[in-house]
Each structure stands twice: as C-alpha cells, then as structure tokens.
Amino acid sequence: MNFRGKTFERVDAAVIKWMAKHGLFLLRISIGIIFLWFGALKYFEGMSPAEDLAIKTISTLSFNLIPTKIIIYGLATWEVLIGIGLLFNLFMRETLLLLYLQMLGTFSPIFLFPGEVFHIFPISLTLEGQYIVKNIVIISAGIVLGSTVRGGKIEIGRASC
C-alpha cells in the first residue's frame, strides 16, 4: 500500500472511530430536538404544519370524544416529554415507548385519510404524506437507541467482505 493509501486508511479509521464514539449520542440529541421543537410548536395555534391533520386523526380515532384543545395540548405535551427524555437520556424505555406509540398515531392518516396523504395513490405523496413517511427514519432511530437501554454500544471492528 502506498503513502496515499495508508493516509486514507488512517483518516478513514479515525473518522469511523469518531462516528462510533459519538453517533448514538448525536442520534439521541437530534431526535430529541425534533420532538421538543415540533411538540412545542403545537402549544401555539397555527404554528405546527401538522396541527390540523393531527387533530382530525385523533378526533377520528377517539370518535370525537376528546375536545380539540385537549388533543393538541396533549399531543404537544407527549412530544415534548419524548424530546426531554431523549435530550437528557431520561427513562429511555418509557420515552421510547411513547415515541413508538406516537409513531403509530402518526401513520394513521395513511389509512384514515389517504386523499390528504397521496396526490396519486400509492406513489405520489402530498407534503403531509412526506411528513408522515419520513417518520420511518425516526422509528429506525428509536430501534437503534432502544438497543442501548441495557448497555448496548457500537463496536468498531473490521467488516468482512
């Protein structure tokens, strides 16, 4: 291996080591920020782009038994609690359970209101639909974070090809 190849290998190894050391922390913090921010917006009427669809979904799922204000403030509080739990690494099992349950609710409009989620079913999403489908990444992040609640970690090793 020449000098350039050895230099690349050293830099590559250092970058991978840094990612392994900091990746889970950054993932937890970034998802925490998203939940805290999006949840906090729901406390202020008209500030959350998901507000109307969230209210409509929860109203439908609850057979219109829950008042609108309780729905939106309840959802805001739920999301803020997830954000705080992730940001401060608190009650991770419970925080992740809240996250997964919230994600179930988030995907409900796909089945309840497909006309608001798709321009052309099933291939072209509306902006609301894109907002929902991107949550697949959040679910995956929750799974990765959940793998650490009993001390799981990312280990650096040589991959076999």
Side-chain angles (χ1 to χ4, degrees):
M1 189 178 300
N2 62 27
F3 175 75
R4 287 175 72 187
K6 287 180 182 179
T7 301
F8 174 79
E9 286 296 320
R10 282 196 309 272
V11 170
D12 187 53
V15 168
I16 291 169
K17 184 177 180 181
W18 185 90
M19 288 189 288
K21 182 176 180 181
H22 301 286
L24 288 170
F25 171 78
L26 292 171
L27 181 64
R28 184 173 52 76
I29 296 302
S30 61
I31 300 299
I33 289 169
I34 289 168
F35 272 96
L36 183 64
W37 193 334
F38 287 17
L41 284 177
K42 289 177 179 70
Y43 287 116
F44 305 97
E45 189 173 336
M47 294 295 289
S48 171
E51 181 178 320
D52 292 338
L53 188 56
I55 290 169
K56 186 175 176 181
T57 300
I58 296 170
S59 289
T60 300
L61 290 172
S62 68
F63 305 103
N64 296 312
L65 296 174
I66 304 173
T68 301
K69 291 288 185 193
I70 292 176
I71 288 173
I72 201 64
Y73 291 138
L75 183 58
T77 302
W78 188 308
E79 291 179 0
V80 165
L81 286 172
I82 294 169
I84 290 169
L86 291 169
L87 285 170
F88 296 102
N89 202 20
L90 299 170
F91 308 106
M92 286 304 291
R93 284 180 179 82
E94 295 82 357
T95 296
L96 292 172
L97 176 62
L98 289 176
L99 182 149
Y100 300 136
L101 292 172
Q102 196 268 354
M103 287 294 111
L104 283 174
T106 299
F107 280 95
S108 298
I110 292 173
F111 307 102
L112 297 173
F113 315 112
E116 293 186 37
V117 176
F118 294 98
H119 282 296
I120 302 169
F121 182 83
I123 54 173
S124 178
L125 293 162
T126 63
L127 191 56
E128 290 86 354
Q130 292 175 36
Y131 189 84
I132 292 167
V133 171
K134 64 97 178 101
N135 286 330
I136 293 169
V137 175
I138 292 178
I139 293 167
S140 297
I143 291 168
V144 171
L145 293 172
S147 73
T148 68
V149 296
R150 290 188 175 216
K153 297 178 192 247
I154 294 177
E155 292 187 21
I156 304 169
R158 300 294 291 172
S160 58
C161 297

